[in-house]
Amino acid sequence: MPDPSRVIQHVDYNYTGGLNVDASPDHLDRSELQIAENVELSKRGGLRKRKSSQVLFEEGFYEKITQVFEWQRDDGTSSLLFVADQTLMEYIFETEESEPLHAVGYDRIAYFFLQDKLYFIGEEQMYVYDGDTVEEVTLFYDRHTLPAPPEAPVVEFQTIIGGGAFSSGTYKCLYVYVTKEGEIISQASPVAEVEAPPDSYRVDWIMPNPNYQRVLPFMTLADGEEFYQLFHDVIPHPDYDTITDPIEHKFYNEPDIEEPFVDTDPDEQFEYEEHPVETCKFAVRHPKSFRMFYAGAEGNESALYFSEPNDPPAIRETSVLYPTTADGPVTGLAVFMDAVLVFYKNSIWSWRGIDPEIDAVWEKLPTSEGTLSSNTIHLTTSSITMFGPGGLYALSPNIIGVSMAMEARENYINNIAKNRVSSIIKEITYPEQATGVFDSKHERYLLSYCDDDTGINNNVLVFDFNLGSFTLYPDIHINDFCYTLNGDILAASDNNMIVFEQGLDSEGDPEYDPARWKIRSPRYHFGHPFRKKKVSRIYVAMENPFIDGYKIIVTLYADDEEVESKEVVIGSGGARLYTARLQTYAVGSRFEVVIEEHEDSPVPVTGMHNMPTLYGIALDYNLVQQMGDTV
């Protein structure tokens, strides 16, 4: 039995567990926090105030910026592309100037880069921008046509004695033209009817496709000249079986072909008057097949379209895929390893391969999770992370059949928000407007979302892949993120662009993003949840930021009731480590400590001040003498 007169000190100096709003405050781990706002967690256990953000443009725009992405040019320069007031704009870093490029008619556009050019879809039209001019791109397809043979050749079967029997009757022989690659271009109507005698026909070898019998040898022509070969395709009469001819069969009176049929205009293109791709919301380039993939077309929102290799506007009439199940509209596209992932609300489909006629595989992945916003899909550490209906999901490469080493308790798809911030995820309003980014420098994923009825993203949830923990940045409006090549995070916000967490410089606006930090500890019962305790002193250990007038507020709660709130001024002088010792008096069974930055505290300036850092909290307590009889 502990001595009630003995003062005991409870110390917390590890906050690597981060934010947990799912578990009861009584059941939180000592390293977890009920509130963790505007703080960065450290592997060493402490936490510090995050850096403030700065605006990129001195003069803002009249409308909010809704999309932002970076264009790295082949010559080493880069520019920032963004959509403001449904107009595509370009900002040149070297000149710090921006100018409009083209009206797009949407808040967000589908885009990709190819051969140092930007392709984008806007106002129901595809465009290409080469850095100087924007031009329309007309979608087209190739259709090669060849005339039928002038006369129907007479074709007869040769009877070979000794072999398997086949049915007698009338069969039709069809001539079909194919390219060197085996693509069927056109075929004539049936040109001859053949009477098959009721005799035996030897079958020495059965081809994989019994209808494809024999292709004449190709001939070598001049460079660039395309030609087509003639082969036989035996179509059975509906009353009889298909003939599976041997590869070395023969015909009587076979047509005498000295020259192959040559397409006189092999490059003839047929332009589409309109095409669903011109209204697509999503587009990606698949590096393995060199094809462009499009999805989210108006009126055909479940379809996936694809182009010819390295030719974005060349789209065949048959180059479209659909899920075989009723999965609803496409909600996003992404390239993961060697696959194109097609996201729906509650499912994911995968396209892998190079040529749809040879090796492409179109299949549904083994998961019932999808995404609600394409803007949240990002490649992260050894996974691809997305925001789904029930959480934040990290997909392992194993889910698409790529063998990867997996840690214990790791699955094909993991909900990294489970049992920690799932309640935040489920309360997100306007989920289709959520947006995310992966900060590879610090190995963290940031999700900007809305939790009220305004429809404006007003919070940022941050997941640290190193620690496996969350923090929250409240009251900051971000419509889109862009992770730049030099490691900066740019964010589209209201009528301006911000350099996220760059830190405030001497000319920055401290009121734009003051990043006031706040934490709330777990409920402390000190191992005696049903005994009354008396807390007599609070200790707060921090790094001195060396800012004149910097203040924090320390509040103590006992059994959910506020007991005392004290302001602590951390002076500009003194030692680097500052410890506040606050005398108090509180009696209860469970205690909580809230520490927050005072709203009047100066904002730290990068290079001049240290970032306020919390190292630990301690409470002096002793058990209260129990009165009454033991039951």
Side-chain angles (χ1 to χ4, degrees), residues 49-54 503-506 508-517 545-551 597-612:
K49 171 188 172 80
R50 73 168 176 88
K51 293 180 180 179
S52 299
S53 304
Q54 291 204 134
L504 190 69
D505 59 26
S506 58
D509 180 7
E511 298 302 321
Y512 184 80
D513 180 25
R516 302 297 181 192
W517 65 278
F546 297 105
I547 305 174
D548 288 333
Y550 185 80
K551 296 183 291 185
E597 187 178 66
H598 196 283
E599 62 180 5
D600 295 332
S601 288
V603 177
V605 176
T606 302
M608 295 177 58
H609 307 123
N610 295 331
M611 295 304 293

Side-chain angles (χ1 to χ4, degrees), residues 56 69-82 89-98 113 116 129 131 482-488 490:
L56 183 63
F69 52 95
E70 187 181 27
W71 184 12
Q72 291 290 334
R73 304 300 304 276
D74 289 350
D75 60 3
T77 62
S78 64
S79 61
L80 193 67
L81 284 302
F82 58 94
M89 312 280 293
E90 182 178 23
Y91 175 81
I92 307 298
F93 288 103
E94 287 76 10
T95 62
E96 297 184 354
E97 296 180 352
S98 59
F113 301 106
D116 203 30
Y129 175 53
C482 173
Y483 187 75
T484 65
L485 190 64
N486 62 4
D488 290 334
L490 301 181

